[in-house]
Amino acid sequence: MEPLDPNRLPVHLAVIMDGNGRWAQQRMLRRIVGHQRGAETVKMVVEQASLLGIRYLTLFAFSSENWSRPAMEVRALMTLLKKYIRQETARMMRKNIRYNVIGNRSDLPDDVNETLNEAINKTSGNTGMVLTLALSYGSRQELSMAAARLAQDVLAGKLTPEAINIDVFESYLDTGGLPDPDFLIRTSGEMRISNFLLWQLAYTELYFTEINWPDFTINELHKALADYQSRERRFGRTSDQLSGRGDLSNA
Ligand code: IPE
Ligand code: IPE
Ligand code: MG
């Protein structure tokens, strides 16, 4: 395994966990078996991220658009989600991990919301990694809701239009309080964002791998993180500026 520099890990790692269905179909199994295997990968990534000292891990588990899948698959995913949260909460307590959810929770079934509330409340005092699950999440929906709430606050006289800036706008997003992701991993070979964190990914380093989510191993995670550590994040500056040679410019 390639050695990782503990001082240069992403503070916030985000993952689009994709390829469960294809993993199963390639093996003549039902898609839900792929989701079940995917849940095992989630356990591994949560454990590894927490061990490595990553502060924020955000997992895209179910998108606003995923409601359009066959009802049977949606139901199976909701059941699996509930089972996962129930099974894992004790481990989250042991590992000092705090649950957080982003997305349109009012669309989730009541029993799923109850399970989520229990897990969120139980882990709310934990001070280690923040594990954010994106559930019934769509970034355009999040952004338009934020705009609507901003407009309401302006109408109510709580805010003037002149006071709206990047920080104020961000505080209206579901992710208010979370730093932007430093690194995004998407599995299964698809090279798209699929309505995930459109605002928050502005300067995120992107990583795509052909591996399907159920096949994503510790080794693959380390490979991805090693790739992250090889990147130069310039945020608009020049390479010389970053290495402290900025004054020697030959512009
Ligand atoms: C990701 O795997 C899990 C969810 C979107 C819920 P998919 O179910 O999208 O798997 P593929 O892309 O069909 O292989
Ligand atoms: C994105 O995967 C959503 C999740 C991983 C939960 P999809 O498999 O739904 O994405 P598209 O529709 O193929 O882009
Ligand atoms: Mg998919």
Side-chain angles (χ1 to χ4, degrees):
M1 234 180 262
E2 305 184 42
L4 295 172
D5 176 351
N7 297 315
R8 293 192 56 221
L9 287 165
V11 173
H12 184 173
L13 169 65
V15 186
I16 301 179
M17 312 183 288
D18 199 8
N20 292 347
R22 277 165 285 168
W23 181 93
Q25 283 166 328
Q26 284 158 11
R27 288 162 180 77
M28 304 297 185
L29 299 167
R30 287 171 304 131
R31 290 176 58 85
I32 187 62
V33 180
H35 296 311
Q36 285 161 353
R37 287 295 293 263
E40 298 304 314
T41 308
V42 174
K43 290 181 198 169
M44 179 280 286
V45 168
V46 169
E47 169 151 27
Q48 288 304 310
S50 153
L51 277 175
L52 285 166
I54 288 174
R55 301 288 307 153
Y56 301 89
L57 174 66
T58 298
L59 303 176
F60 202 3
F62 192 86
S63 74
S64 312
E65 292 71 28
N66 288 150
W67 291 115
S68 318
R69 293 194 178 190
M72 210 173 76
E73 181 168 346
V74 171
R75 252 198 316 275
L77 278 166
M78 292 298 142
T79 304
L80 184 61
L81 173 65
K82 219 168 67 177
K83 192 170 142 217
Y84 174 87
I85 304 276
R86 288 230 172 103
Q87 275 181 357
E88 290 303 297
T89 304
R91 203 197 310 257
M92 299 299 138
M93 292 307 291
R94 280 200 299 281
K95 297 195 177 296
N96 195 22
I97 297 172
R98 180 157 66 86
Y99 272 120
N100 179 41
V101 174
I102 57 173
N104 189 1
R105 285 195 53 189
S106 58
D107 282 348
L108 296 170
D110 290 343
D111 56 337
V112 170
N113 267 321
E114 277 161 31
T115 306
L116 287 172
N117 283 340
E118 271 170 39
I120 292 169
N121 291 337
K122 191 142 191 231
T123 62
S124 65
N126 290 351
T127 53
M129 187 171 83
V130 177
L131 170 60
T132 300
L133 302 178
L135 296 172
S136 188
Y137 175 85
S139 188
R140 286 180 162 178
Q141 291 82 340
E142 176 193 33
L143 286 161
S144 54
M145 285 299 294
R149 280 199 299 269
L150 258 175
Q152 273 159 7
D153 282 355
V154 170
L155 278 176
K158 293 186 198 159
L159 192 73
T160 62
E162 297 74 33
I164 299 169
N165 57 28
I166 291 175
D167 290 339
V168 169
F169 191 82
E170 266 174 0
S171 71
Y172 282 80
L173 296 173
D174 288 6
T175 51
L178 299 178
D180 288 341
D182 300 290
F183 193 42
L184 172 78
I185 297 174
R186 182 172 188 153
T187 57
S188 89
E190 306 303 349
M191 291 195 242
R192 54 181 177 256
I193 300 298
S194 302
N195 202 15
F196 189 45
L197 302 175
L198 299 177
W199 166 287
Q200 299 86 341
L201 293 175
Y203 254 112
T204 302
E205 296 295 329
L206 308 179
Y207 180 90
F208 299 98
T209 169
E210 292 289 327
I211 310 271
N212 285 324
W213 183 247
D215 282 335
F216 193 75
T217 55
I218 297 188
N219 218 352
E220 293 297 331
L221 176 65
H222 280 242
K223 207 165 104 186
L225 291 169
D227 189 302
Y228 171 77
Q229 296 195 333
S230 74
R231 314 256 181 118
E232 182 178 61
R233 303 187 71 190
R234 290 194 285 278
F235 298 100
R237 294 165 205 240
T238 67
S239 201
D240 280 352
Q241 280 179 302
L242 294 175
S243 57
R245 297 193 305 267
D247 294 340
L248 305 174
S249 86
N250 44 14

